[in-house]
mmCIF file with all atom_site columns, all heavy atoms in Angstrom:
data_model
loop_
_atom_site.group_PDB
_atom_site.id
_atom_site.type_symbol
_atom_site.label_atom_id
_atom_site.label_alt_id
_atom_site.label_comp_id
_atom_site.label_asym_id
_atom_site.label_entity_id
_atom_site.label_seq_id
_atom_site.pdbx_PDB_ins_code
_atom_site.Cartn_x
_atom_site.Cartn_y
_atom_site.Cartn_z
_atom_site.occupancy
_atom_site.B_iso_or_equiv
_atom_site.pdbx_formal_charge
_atom_site.auth_seq_id
_atom_site.auth_comp_id
_atom_site.auth_asym_id
_atom_site.auth_atom_id
_atom_site.pdbx_PDB_model_num
ATOM 1   N N   . SER H 1 1  ? -3.803  19.815 21.275  1.00 0.00 ? 14 SER H N   1
ATOM 2   C CA  . SER H 1 1  ? -2.797  20.033 20.244  1.00 0.00 ? 14 SER H CA  1
ATOM 3   C C   . SER H 1 1  ? -2.396  18.722 19.606  1.00 0.00 ? 14 SER H C   1
ATOM 4   O O   . SER H 1 1  ? -2.412  17.665 20.207  1.00 0.00 ? 14 SER H O   1
ATOM 5   C CB  . SER H 1 1  ? -1.562  20.699 20.857  1.00 0.00 ? 14 SER H CB  1
ATOM 6   O OG  . SER H 1 1  ? -0.540  20.793 19.915  1.00 0.00 ? 14 SER H OG  1
ATOM 7   N N   . SER H 1 2  ? -2.017  18.851 18.343  1.00 0.00 ? 15 SER H N   1
ATOM 8   C CA  . SER H 1 2  ? -1.513  17.682 17.627  1.00 0.00 ? 15 SER H CA  1
ATOM 9   C C   . SER H 1 2  ? 0.000   17.748 17.477  1.00 0.00 ? 15 SER H C   1
ATOM 10  O O   . SER H 1 2  ? 0.580   17.133 16.593  1.00 0.00 ? 15 SER H O   1
ATOM 11  C CB  . SER H 1 2  ? -2.161  17.601 16.236  1.00 0.00 ? 15 SER H CB  1
ATOM 12  O OG  . SER H 1 2  ? -1.817  18.728 15.482  1.00 0.00 ? 15 SER H OG  1
ATOM 13  N N   . SER H 1 3  ? 0.634   18.516 18.357  1.00 0.00 ? 16 SER H N   1
ATOM 14  C CA  . SER H 1 3  ? 2.087   18.629 18.278  1.00 0.00 ? 16 SER H CA  1
ATOM 15  C C   . SER H 1 3  ? 2.785   17.320 18.604  1.00 0.00 ? 16 SER H C   1
ATOM 16  O O   . SER H 1 3  ? 3.987   17.194 18.401  1.00 0.00 ? 16 SER H O   1
ATOM 17  C CB  . SER H 1 3  ? 2.564   19.730 19.237  1.00 0.00 ? 16 SER H CB  1
ATOM 18  O OG  . SER H 1 3  ? 2.170   19.442 20.563  1.00 0.00 ? 16 SER H OG  1
ATOM 19  N N   . ASP H 1 4  ? 2.000   16.344 19.149  1.00 0.00 ? 17 ASP H N   1
ATOM 20  C CA  . ASP H 1 4  ? 2.602   15.063 19.465  1.00 0.00 ? 17 ASP H CA  1
ATOM 21  C C   . ASP H 1 4  ? 2.716   14.156 18.256  1.00 0.00 ? 17 ASP H C   1
ATOM 22  O O   . ASP H 1 4  ? 3.140   13.015 18.376  1.00 0.00 ? 17 ASP H O   1
ATOM 23  C CB  . ASP H 1 4  ? 1.788   14.366 20.558  1.00 0.00 ? 17 ASP H CB  1
ATOM 24  C CG  . ASP H 1 4  ? 0.339   14.156 20.163  1.00 0.00 ? 17 ASP H CG  1
ATOM 25  O OD1 . ASP H 1 4  ? -0.102  14.829 19.210  1.00 0.00 ? 17 ASP H OD1 1
ATOM 26  O OD2 . ASP H 1 4  ? -0.334  13.321 20.809  1.00 0.00 ? 17 ASP H OD2 1
ATOM 27  N N   . ARG H 1 5  ? 2.323   14.635 17.086  1.00 0.00 ? 18 ARG H N   1
ATOM 28  C CA  . ARG H 1 5  ? 2.435   13.821 15.883  1.00 0.00 ? 18 ARG H CA  1
ATOM 29  C C   . ARG H 1 5  ? 3.899   13.497 15.600  1.00 0.00 ? 18 ARG H C   1
ATOM 30  O O   . ARG H 1 5  ? 4.783   14.325 15.776  1.00 0.00 ? 18 ARG H O   1
ATOM 31  C CB  . ARG H 1 5  ? 1.832   14.549 14.679  1.00 0.00 ? 18 ARG H CB  1
ATOM 32  C CG  . ARG H 1 5  ? 0.319   14.646 14.704  1.00 0.00 ? 18 ARG H CG  1
ATOM 33  C CD  . ARG H 1 5  ? -0.186  15.130 13.370  1.00 0.00 ? 18 ARG H CD  1
ATOM 34  N NE  . ARG H 1 5  ? -1.621  15.366 13.372  1.00 0.00 ? 18 ARG H NE  1
ATOM 35  C CZ  . ARG H 1 5  ? -2.533  14.423 13.174  1.00 0.00 ? 18 ARG H CZ  1
ATOM 36  N NH1 . ARG H 1 5  ? -2.141  13.180 12.980  1.00 0.00 ? 18 ARG H NH1 1
ATOM 37  N NH2 . ARG H 1 5  ? -3.819  14.706 13.186  1.00 0.00 ? 18 ARG H NH2 1
ATOM 38  N N   . ASP H 1 6  ? 4.121   12.296 15.112  1.00 0.00 ? 19 ASP H N   1
ATOM 39  C CA  . ASP H 1 6  ? 5.463   11.859 14.748  1.00 0.00 ? 19 ASP H CA  1
ATOM 40  C C   . ASP H 1 6  ? 5.750   12.393 13.342  1.00 0.00 ? 19 ASP H C   1
ATOM 41  O O   . ASP H 1 6  ? 5.395   11.780 12.342  1.00 0.00 ? 19 ASP H O   1
ATOM 42  C CB  . ASP H 1 6  ? 5.520   10.334 14.787  1.00 0.00 ? 19 ASP H CB  1
ATOM 43  C CG  . ASP H 1 6  ? 6.938   9.809  14.633  1.00 0.00 ? 19 ASP H CG  1
ATOM 44  O OD1 . ASP H 1 6  ? 7.809   10.580 14.188  1.00 0.00 ? 19 ASP H OD1 1
ATOM 45  O OD2 . ASP H 1 6  ? 7.167   8.619  14.931  1.00 0.00 ? 19 ASP H OD2 1
ATOM 46  N N   . VAL H 1 7  ? 6.396   13.545 13.281  1.00 0.00 ? 20 VAL H N   1
ATOM 47  C CA  . VAL H 1 7  ? 6.634   14.193 11.997  1.00 0.00 ? 20 VAL H CA  1
ATOM 48  C C   . VAL H 1 7  ? 7.520   13.357 11.081  1.00 0.00 ? 20 VAL H C   1
ATOM 49  O O   . VAL H 1 7  ? 7.219   13.194 9.893   1.00 0.00 ? 20 VAL H O   1
ATOM 50  C CB  . VAL H 1 7  ? 7.227   15.602 12.214  1.00 0.00 ? 20 VAL H CB  1
ATOM 51  C CG1 . VAL H 1 7  ? 7.554   16.256 10.869  1.00 0.00 ? 20 VAL H CG1 1
ATOM 52  C CG2 . VAL H 1 7  ? 6.257   16.469 13.004  1.00 0.00 ? 20 VAL H CG2 1
ATOM 53  N N   . PRO H 1 8  ? 8.654   12.801 11.555  1.00 0.00 ? 21 PRO H N   1
ATOM 54  C CA  . PRO H 1 8  ? 9.456   11.962 10.657  1.00 0.00 ? 21 PRO H CA  1
ATOM 55  C C   . PRO H 1 8  ? 8.667   10.781 10.093  1.00 0.00 ? 21 PRO H C   1
ATOM 56  O O   . PRO H 1 8  ? 8.809   10.448 8.910   1.00 0.00 ? 21 PRO H O   1
ATOM 57  C CB  . PRO H 1 8  ? 10.611  11.492 11.550  1.00 0.00 ? 21 PRO H CB  1
ATOM 58  C CG  . PRO H 1 8  ? 10.727  12.539 12.595  1.00 0.00 ? 21 PRO H CG  1
ATOM 59  C CD  . PRO H 1 8  ? 9.332   12.987 12.860  1.00 0.00 ? 21 PRO H CD  1
ATOM 60  N N   . MET H 1 9  ? 7.853   10.147 10.938  1.00 0.00 ? 22 MET H N   1
ATOM 61  C CA  . MET H 1 9  ? 7.036   9.044  10.452  1.00 0.00 ? 22 MET H CA  1
ATOM 62  C C   . MET H 1 9  ? 6.020   9.530  9.431   1.00 0.00 ? 22 MET H C   1
ATOM 63  O O   . MET H 1 9  ? 5.753   8.865  8.419   1.00 0.00 ? 22 MET H O   1
ATOM 64  C CB  . MET H 1 9  ? 6.329   8.366  11.629  1.00 0.00 ? 22 MET H CB  1
ATOM 65  C CG  . MET H 1 9  ? 5.394   7.224  11.213  1.00 0.00 ? 22 MET H CG  1
ATOM 66  S SD  . MET H 1 9  ? 6.260   5.892  10.343  1.00 0.00 ? 22 MET H SD  1
ATOM 67  C CE  . MET H 1 9  ? 7.217   5.202  11.699  1.00 0.00 ? 22 MET H CE  1
ATOM 68  N N   . ALA H 1 10 ? 5.450   10.711 9.670   1.00 0.00 ? 23 ALA H N   1
ATOM 69  C CA  . ALA H 1 10 ? 4.482   11.268 8.727   1.00 0.00 ? 23 ALA H CA  1
ATOM 70  C C   . ALA H 1 10 ? 5.126   11.523 7.369   1.00 0.00 ? 23 ALA H C   1
ATOM 71  O O   . ALA H 1 10 ? 4.548   11.242 6.315   1.00 0.00 ? 23 ALA H O   1
ATOM 72  C CB  . ALA H 1 10 ? 3.890   12.565 9.284   1.00 0.00 ? 23 ALA H CB  1
ATOM 73  N N   . VAL H 1 11 ? 6.342   12.066 7.384   1.00 0.00 ? 24 VAL H N   1
ATOM 74  C CA  . VAL H 1 11 ? 7.052   12.324 6.130   1.00 0.00 ? 24 VAL H CA  1
ATOM 75  C C   . VAL H 1 11 ? 7.356   11.012 5.412   1.00 0.00 ? 24 VAL H C   1
ATOM 76  O O   . VAL H 1 11 ? 7.195   10.904 4.190   1.00 0.00 ? 24 VAL H O   1
ATOM 77  C CB  . VAL H 1 11 ? 8.350   13.112 6.410   1.00 0.00 ? 24 VAL H CB  1
ATOM 78  C CG1 . VAL H 1 11 ? 9.175   13.233 5.134   1.00 0.00 ? 24 VAL H CG1 1
ATOM 79  C CG2 . VAL H 1 11 ? 8.022   14.483 6.975   1.00 0.00 ? 24 VAL H CG2 1
ATOM 80  N N   . LEU H 1 12 ? 7.775   10.007 6.170   1.00 0.00 ? 25 LEU H N   1
ATOM 81  C CA  . LEU H 1 12 ? 8.107   8.722  5.565   1.00 0.00 ? 25 LEU H CA  1
ATOM 82  C C   . LEU H 1 12 ? 6.869   8.071  4.935   1.00 0.00 ? 25 LEU H C   1
ATOM 83  O O   . LEU H 1 12 ? 6.928   7.581  3.797   1.00 0.00 ? 25 LEU H O   1
ATOM 84  C CB  . LEU H 1 12 ? 8.711   7.789  6.629   1.00 0.00 ? 25 LEU H CB  1
ATOM 85  C CG  . LEU H 1 12 ? 9.132   6.389  6.155   1.00 0.00 ? 25 LEU H CG  1
ATOM 86  C CD1 . LEU H 1 12 ? 10.224  6.505  5.098   1.00 0.00 ? 25 LEU H CD1 1
ATOM 87  C CD2 . LEU H 1 12 ? 9.608   5.550  7.337   1.00 0.00 ? 25 LEU H CD2 1
ATOM 88  N N   . VAL H 1 13 ? 5.771   8.074  5.654   1.00 0.00 ? 26 VAL H N   1
ATOM 89  C CA  . VAL H 1 13 ? 4.535   7.485  5.124   1.00 0.00 ? 26 VAL H CA  1
ATOM 90  C C   . VAL H 1 13 ? 4.048   8.261  3.913   1.00 0.00 ? 26 VAL H C   1
ATOM 91  O O   . VAL H 1 13 ? 3.631   7.683  2.904   1.00 0.00 ? 26 VAL H O   1
ATOM 92  C CB  . VAL H 1 13 ? 3.454   7.441  6.223   1.00 0.00 ? 26 VAL H CB  1
ATOM 93  C CG1 . VAL H 1 13 ? 2.107   7.017  5.642   1.00 0.00 ? 26 VAL H CG1 1
ATOM 94  C CG2 . VAL H 1 13 ? 3.863   6.489  7.337   1.00 0.00 ? 26 VAL H CG2 1
ATOM 95  N N   . GLY H 1 14 ? 4.124   9.598  3.984   1.00 0.00 ? 27 GLY H N   1
ATOM 96  C CA  . GLY H 1 14 ? 3.690   10.409 2.850   1.00 0.00 ? 27 GLY H CA  1
ATOM 97  C C   . GLY H 1 14 ? 4.538   10.160 1.611   1.00 0.00 ? 27 GLY H C   1
ATOM 98  O O   . GLY H 1 14 ? 4.013   10.070 0.497   1.00 0.00 ? 27 GLY H O   1
ATOM 99  N N   . ALA H 1 15 ? 5.854   10.059 1.793   1.00 0.00 ? 28 ALA H N   1
ATOM 100 C CA  . ALA H 1 15 ? 6.735   9.794  0.654   1.00 0.00 ? 28 ALA H CA  1
ATOM 101 C C   . ALA H 1 15 ? 6.453   8.422  0.058   1.00 0.00 ? 28 ALA H C   1
ATOM 102 O O   . ALA H 1 15 ? 6.457   8.249  -1.176  1.00 0.00 ? 28 ALA H O   1
ATOM 103 C CB  . ALA H 1 15 ? 8.193   9.894  1.093   1.00 0.00 ? 28 ALA H CB  1
ATOM 104 N N   . PHE H 1 16 ? 6.185   7.435  0.916   1.00 0.00 ? 29 PHE H N   1
ATOM 105 C CA  . PHE H 1 16 ? 5.898   6.089  0.421   1.00 0.00 ? 29 PHE H CA  1
ATOM 106 C C   . PHE H 1 16 ? 4.596   6.081  -0.388  1.00 0.00 ? 29 PHE H C   1
ATOM 107 O O   . PHE H 1 16 ? 4.526   5.480  -1.474  1.00 0.00 ? 29 PHE H O   1
ATOM 108 C CB  . PHE H 1 16 ? 5.790   5.125  1.593   1.00 0.00 ? 29 PHE H CB  1
ATOM 109 C CG  . PHE H 1 16 ? 5.362   3.729  1.198   1.00 0.00 ? 29 PHE H CG  1
ATOM 110 C CD1 . PHE H 1 16 ? 6.265   2.869  0.585   1.00 0.00 ? 29 PHE H CD1 1
ATOM 111 C CD2 . PHE H 1 16 ? 4.069   3.289  1.430   1.00 0.00 ? 29 PHE H CD2 1
ATOM 112 C CE1 . PHE H 1 16 ? 5.875   1.588  0.201   1.00 0.00 ? 29 PHE H CE1 1
ATOM 113 C CE2 . PHE H 1 16 ? 3.672   2.018  1.062   1.00 0.00 ? 29 PHE H CE2 1
ATOM 114 C CZ  . PHE H 1 16 ? 4.570   1.160  0.443   1.00 0.00 ? 29 PHE H CZ  1
ATOM 115 N N   . MET H 1 17 ? 3.560   6.741  0.114   1.00 0.00 ? 30 MET H N   1
ATOM 116 C CA  . MET H 1 17 ? 2.286   6.794  -0.620  1.00 0.00 ? 30 MET H CA  1
ATOM 117 C C   . MET H 1 17 ? 2.448   7.503  -1.961  1.00 0.00 ? 30 MET H C   1
ATOM 118 O O   . MET H 1 17 ? 1.911   7.056  -2.984  1.00 0.00 ? 30 MET H O   1
ATOM 119 C CB  . MET H 1 17 ? 1.221   7.497  0.220   1.00 0.00 ? 30 MET H CB  1
ATOM 120 C CG  . MET H 1 17 ? 0.750   6.711  1.424   1.00 0.00 ? 30 MET H CG  1
ATOM 121 S SD  . MET H 1 17 ? -0.688  7.479  2.208   1.00 0.00 ? 30 MET H SD  1
ATOM 122 C CE  . MET H 1 17 ? -0.005  9.075  2.680   1.00 0.00 ? 30 MET H CE  1
ATOM 123 N N   . ALA H 1 18 ? 3.189   8.609  -1.964  1.00 0.00 ? 31 ALA H N   1
ATOM 124 C CA  . ALA H 1 18 ? 3.405   9.333  -3.208  1.00 0.00 ? 31 ALA H CA  1
ATOM 125 C C   . ALA H 1 18 ? 4.147   8.470  -4.218  1.00 0.00 ? 31 ALA H C   1
ATOM 126 O O   . ALA H 1 18 ? 3.820   8.459  -5.420  1.00 0.00 ? 31 ALA H O   1
ATOM 127 C CB  . ALA H 1 18 ? 4.182   10.619 -2.935  1.00 0.00 ? 31 ALA H CB  1
ATOM 128 N N   . ALA H 1 19 ? 5.141   7.736  -3.744  1.00 0.00 ? 32 ALA H N   1
ATOM 129 C CA  . ALA H 1 19 ? 5.904   6.871  -4.650  1.00 0.00 ? 32 ALA H CA  1
ATOM 130 C C   . ALA H 1 19 ? 5.021   5.783  -5.244  1.00 0.00 ? 32 ALA H C   1
ATOM 131 O O   . ALA H 1 19 ? 5.089   5.490  -6.446  1.00 0.00 ? 32 ALA H O   1
ATOM 132 C CB  . ALA H 1 19 ? 7.084   6.259  -3.896  1.00 0.00 ? 32 ALA H CB  1
ATOM 133 N N   . VAL H 1 20 ? 4.177   5.164  -4.422  1.00 0.00 ? 33 VAL H N   1
ATOM 134 C CA  . VAL H 1 20 ? 3.287   4.109  -4.912  1.00 0.00 ? 33 VAL H CA  1
ATOM 135 C C   . VAL H 1 20 ? 2.333   4.646  -5.972  1.00 0.00 ? 33 VAL H C   1
ATOM 136 O O   . VAL H 1 20 ? 2.131   4.025  -7.032  1.00 0.00 ? 33 VAL H O   1
ATOM 137 C CB  . VAL H 1 20 ? 2.505   3.488  -3.739  1.00 0.00 ? 33 VAL H CB  1
ATOM 138 C CG1 . VAL H 1 20 ? 1.397   2.569  -4.253  1.00 0.00 ? 33 VAL H CG1 1
ATOM 139 C CG2 . VAL H 1 20 ? 3.440   2.723  -2.819  1.00 0.00 ? 33 VAL H CG2 1
ATOM 140 N N   . ILE H 1 21 ? 1.770   5.813  -5.711  1.00 0.00 ? 34 ILE H N   1
ATOM 141 C CA  . ILE H 1 21 ? 0.804   6.381  -6.656  1.00 0.00 ? 34 ILE H CA  1
ATOM 142 C C   . ILE H 1 21 ? 1.480   6.761  -7.970  1.00 0.00 ? 34 ILE H C   1
ATOM 143 O O   . ILE H 1 21 ? 0.963   6.491  -9.064  1.00 0.00 ? 34 ILE H O   1
ATOM 144 C CB  . ILE H 1 21 ? 0.108   7.593  -6.019  1.00 0.00 ? 34 ILE H CB  1
ATOM 145 C CG1 . ILE H 1 21 ? -0.751  7.141  -4.831  1.00 0.00 ? 34 ILE H CG1 1
ATOM 146 C CG2 . ILE H 1 21 ? -0.763  8.313  -7.044  1.00 0.00 ? 34 ILE H CG2 1
ATOM 147 C CD1 . ILE H 1 21 ? -1.360  8.286  -4.055  1.00 0.00 ? 34 ILE H CD1 1
ATOM 148 N N   . LEU H 1 22 ? 2.654   7.388  -7.873  1.00 0.00 ? 35 LEU H N   1
ATOM 149 C CA  . LEU H 1 22 ? 3.347   7.811  -9.092  1.00 0.00 ? 35 LEU H CA  1
ATOM 150 C C   . LEU H 1 22 ? 3.799   6.612  -9.922  1.00 0.00 ? 35 LEU H C   1
ATOM 151 O O   . LEU H 1 22 ? 3.735   6.646  -11.159 1.00 0.00 ? 35 LEU H O   1
ATOM 152 C CB  . LEU H 1 22 ? 4.534   8.704  -8.728  1.00 0.00 ? 35 LEU H CB  1
ATOM 153 C CG  . LEU H 1 22 ? 4.169   10.076 -8.139  1.00 0.00 ? 35 LEU H CG  1
ATOM 154 C CD1 . LEU H 1 22 ? 5.435   10.836 -7.736  1.00 0.00 ? 35 LEU H CD1 1
ATOM 155 C CD2 . LEU H 1 22 ? 3.350   10.897 -9.139  1.00 0.00 ? 35 LEU H CD2 1
ATOM 156 N N   . VAL H 1 23 ? 4.260   5.550  -9.256  1.00 0.00 ? 36 VAL H N   1
ATOM 157 C CA  . VAL H 1 23 ? 4.645   4.342  -9.985  1.00 0.00 ? 36 VAL H CA  1
ATOM 158 C C   . VAL H 1 23 ? 3.431   3.727  -10.662 1.00 0.00 ? 36 VAL H C   1
ATOM 159 O O   . VAL H 1 23 ? 3.492   3.287  -11.829 1.00 0.00 ? 36 VAL H O   1
ATOM 160 C CB  . VAL H 1 23 ? 5.314   3.324  -9.039  1.00 0.00 ? 36 VAL H CB  1
ATOM 161 C CG1 . VAL H 1 23 ? 5.479   1.970  -9.714  1.00 0.00 ? 36 VAL H CG1 1
ATOM 162 C CG2 . VAL H 1 23 ? 6.683   3.843  -8.589  1.00 0.00 ? 36 VAL H CG2 1
ATOM 163 N N   . ALA H 1 24 ? 2.298   3.703  -9.974  1.00 0.00 ? 37 ALA H N   1
ATOM 164 C CA  . ALA H 1 24 ? 1.079   3.165  -10.564 1.00 0.00 ? 37 ALA H CA  1
ATOM 165 C C   . ALA H 1 24 ? 0.654   3.972  -11.785 1.00 0.00 ? 37 ALA H C   1
ATOM 166 O O   . ALA H 1 24 ? 0.202   3.412  -12.796 1.00 0.00 ? 37 ALA H O   1
ATOM 167 C CB  . ALA H 1 24 ? -0.038  3.152  -9.521  1.00 0.00 ? 37 ALA H CB  1
ATOM 168 N N   . LEU H 1 25 ? 0.825   5.289  -11.723 1.00 0.00 ? 38 LEU H N   1
ATOM 169 C CA  . LEU H 1 25 ? 0.486   6.130  -12.873 1.00 0.00 ? 38 LEU H CA  1
ATOM 170 C C   . LEU H 1 25 ? 1.403   5.846  -14.057 1.00 0.00 ? 38 LEU H C   1
ATOM 171 O O   . LEU H 1 25 ? 0.967   5.922  -15.214 1.00 0.00 ? 38 LEU H O   1
ATOM 172 C CB  . LEU H 1 25 ? 0.568   7.611  -12.475 1.00 0.00 ? 38 LEU H CB  1
ATOM 173 C CG  . LEU H 1 25 ? -0.542  8.111  -11.542 1.00 0.00 ? 38 LEU H CG  1
ATOM 174 C CD1 . LEU H 1 25 ? -0.244  9.527  -11.060 1.00 0.00 ? 38 LEU H CD1 1
ATOM 175 C CD2 . LEU H 1 25 ? -1.895  8.081  -12.249 1.00 0.00 ? 38 LEU H CD2 1
ATOM 176 N N   . GLN H 1 26 ? 2.649   5.542  -13.763 1.00 0.00 ? 39 GLN H N   1
ATOM 177 C CA  . GLN H 1 26 ? 3.574   5.219  -14.847 1.00 0.00 ? 39 GLN H CA  1
ATOM 178 C C   . GLN H 1 26 ? 3.248   3.867  -15.478 1.00 0.00 ? 39 GLN H C   1
ATOM 179 O O   . GLN H 1 26 ? 3.408   3.679  -16.683 1.00 0.00 ? 39 GLN H O   1
ATOM 180 C CB  . GLN H 1 26 ? 5.016   5.208  -14.316 1.00 0.00 ? 39 GLN H CB  1
ATOM 181 C CG  . GLN H 1 26 ? 5.524   6.588  -13.918 1.00 0.00 ? 39 GLN H CG  1
ATOM 182 C CD  . GLN H 1 26 ? 5.600   7.534  -15.109 1.00 0.00 ? 39 GLN H CD  1
ATOM 183 O OE1 . GLN H 1 26 ? 5.992   7.152  -16.210 1.00 0.00 ? 39 GLN H OE1 1
ATOM 184 N NE2 . GLN H 1 26 ? 5.211   8.789  -14.882 1.00 0.00 ? 39 GLN H NE2 1
ATOM 185 N N   . ILE H 1 27 ? 2.769   2.933  -14.678 1.00 0.00 ? 40 ILE H N   1
ATOM 186 C CA  . ILE H 1 27 ? 2.433   1.611  -15.217 1.00 0.00 ? 40 ILE H CA  1
ATOM 187 C C   . ILE H 1 27 ? 1.208   1.681  -16.115 1.00 0.00 ? 40 ILE H C   1
ATOM 188 O O   . ILE H 1 27 ? 1.157   1.068  -17.183 1.00 0.00 ? 40 ILE H O   1
ATOM 189 C CB  . ILE H 1 27 ? 2.211   0.617  -14.061 1.00 0.00 ? 40 ILE H CB  1
ATOM 190 C CG1 . ILE H 1 27 ? 3.538   0.384  -13.327 1.00 0.00 ? 40 ILE H CG1 1
ATOM 191 C CG2 . ILE H 1 27 ? 1.645   -0.698 -14.567 1.00 0.00 ? 40 ILE H CG2 1
ATOM 192 C CD1 . ILE H 1 27 ? 3.410   -0.499 -12.104 1.00 0.00 ? 40 ILE H CD1 1
ATOM 193 N N   . GLY H 1 28 ? 0.203   2.437  -15.688 1.00 0.00 ? 41 GLY H N   1
ATOM 194 C CA  . GLY H 1 28 ? -0.984  2.550  -16.528 1.00 0.00 ? 41 GLY H CA  1
ATOM 195 C C   . GLY H 1 28 ? -2.202  2.982  -15.751 1.00 0.00 ? 41 GLY H C   1
ATOM 196 O O   . GLY H 1 28 ? -2.239  2.905  -14.515 1.00 0.00 ? 41 GLY H O   1
ATOM 197 N N   . PRO H 1 29 ? -3.226  3.457  -16.446 1.00 0.00 ? 42 PRO H N   1
ATOM 198 C CA  . PRO H 1 29 ? -4.422  3.971  -15.768 1.00 0.00 ? 42 PRO H CA  1
ATOM 199 C C   . PRO H 1 29 ? -5.208  2.909  -15.018 1.00 0.00 ? 42 PRO H C   1
ATOM 200 O O   . PRO H 1 29 ? -5.872  3.225  -14.030 1.00 0.00 ? 42 PRO H O   1
ATOM 201 C CB  . PRO H 1 29 ? -5.240  4.571  -16.920 1.00 0.00 ? 42 PRO H CB  1
ATOM 202 C CG  . PRO H 1 29 ? -4.751  3.898  -18.151 1.00 0.00 ? 42 PRO H CG  1
ATOM 203 C CD  . PRO H 1 29 ? -3.317  3.604  -17.913 1.00 0.00 ? 42 PRO H CD  1
ATOM 204 N N   . ALA H 1 30 ? -5.174  1.663  -15.472 1.00 0.00 ? 43 ALA H N   1
ATOM 205 C CA  . ALA H 1 30 ? -5.960  0.616  -14.807 1.00 0.00 ? 43 ALA H CA  1
ATOM 206 C C   . ALA H 1 30 ? -5.484  0.405  -13.370 1.00 0.00 ? 43 ALA H C   1
ATOM 207 O O   . ALA H 1 30 ? -6.291  0.337  -12.432 1.00 0.00 ? 43 ALA H O   1
ATOM 208 C CB  . ALA H 1 30 ? -5.883  -0.685 -15.598 1.00 0.00 ? 43 ALA H CB  1
ATOM 209 N N   . LEU H 1 31 ? -4.153  0.303  -13.174 1.00 0.00 ? 44 LEU H N   1
ATOM 210 C CA  . LEU H 1 31 ? -3.623  0.120  -11.834 1.00 0.00 ? 44 LEU H CA  1
ATOM 211 C C   . LEU H 1 31 ? -3.882  1.353  -10.976 1.00 0.00 ? 44 LEU H C   1
ATOM 212 O O   . LEU H 1 31 ? -4.208  1.238  -9.780  1.00 0.00 ? 44 LEU H O   1
ATOM 213 C CB  . LEU H 1 31 ? -2.127  -0.167 -11.902 1.00 0.00 ? 44 LEU H CB  1
ATOM 214 C CG  . LEU H 1 31 ? -1.424  -0.396 -10.560 1.00 0.00 ? 44 LEU H CG  1
ATOM 215 C CD1 . LEU H 1 31 ? -2.070  -1.557 -9.810  1.00 0.00 ? 44 LEU H CD1 1
ATOM 216 C CD2 . LEU H 1 31 ? 0.060   -0.635 -10.770 1.00 0.00 ? 44 LEU H CD2 1
ATOM 217 N N   . ALA H 1 32 ? -3.741  2.529  -11.563 1.00 0.00 ? 45 ALA H N   1
ATOM 218 C CA  . ALA H 1 32 ? -4.028  3.764  -10.824 1.00 0.00 ? 45 ALA H CA  1
ATOM 219 C C   . ALA H 1 32 ? -5.488  3.815  -10.397 1.00 0.00 ? 45 ALA H C   1
ATOM 220 O O   . ALA H 1 32 ? -5.808  4.280  -9.294  1.00 0.00 ? 45 ALA H O   1
ATOM 221 C CB  . ALA H 1 32 ? -3.680  4.976  -11.685 1.00 0.00 ? 45 ALA H CB  1
ATOM 222 N N   . LEU H 1 33 ? -6.392  3.333  -11.246 1.00 0.00 ? 46 LEU H N   1
ATOM 223 C CA  . LEU H 1 33 ? -7.814  3.301  -10.900 1.00 0.00 ? 46 LEU H CA  1
ATOM 224 C C   . LEU H 1 33 ? -8.065  2.375  -9.719  1.00 0.00 ? 46 LEU H C   1
ATOM 225 O O   . LEU H 1 33 ? -8.850  2.694  -8.819  1.00 0.00 ? 46 LEU H O   1
ATOM 226 C CB  . LEU H 1 33 ? -8.633  2.857  -12.107 1.00 0.00 ? 46 LEU H CB  1
ATOM 227 C CG  . LEU H 1 33 ? -10.137 2.693  -11.869 1.00 0.00 ? 46 LEU H CG  1
ATOM 228 C CD1 . LEU H 1 33 ? -10.770 4.031  -11.541 1.00 0.00 ? 46 LEU H CD1 1
ATOM 229 C CD2 . LEU H 1 33 ? -10.808 2.052  -13.078 1.00 0.00 ? 46 LEU H CD2 1
ATOM 230 N N   . VAL H 1 34 ? -7.398  1.223  -9.701  1.00 0.00 ? 47 VAL H N   1
ATOM 231 C CA  . VAL H 1 34 ? -7.559  0.283  -8.590  1.00 0.00 ? 47 VAL H CA  1
ATOM 232 C C   . VAL H 1 34 ? -7.114  0.923  -7.277  1.00 0.00 ? 47 VAL H C   1
ATOM 233 O O   . VAL H 1 34 ? -7.808  0.822  -6.245  1.00 0.00 ? 47 VAL H O   1
ATOM 234 C CB  . VAL H 1 34 ? -6.763  -1.010 -8.863  1.00 0.00 ? 47 VAL H CB  1
ATOM 235 C CG1 . VAL H 1 34 ? -6.751  -1.900 -7.624  1.00 0.00 ? 47 VAL H CG1 1
ATOM 236 C CG2 . VAL H 1 34 ? -7.366  -1.761 -10.048 1.00 0.00 ? 47 VAL H CG2 1
#
């Protein structure tokens, strides 16, 4: 089972990745491509 996953940490990491990607999309396609 993967019930031992750290769910709060997973949510935090997921939110951080989403924020980085969305900010990159707002800056421009070149940064998003990188």
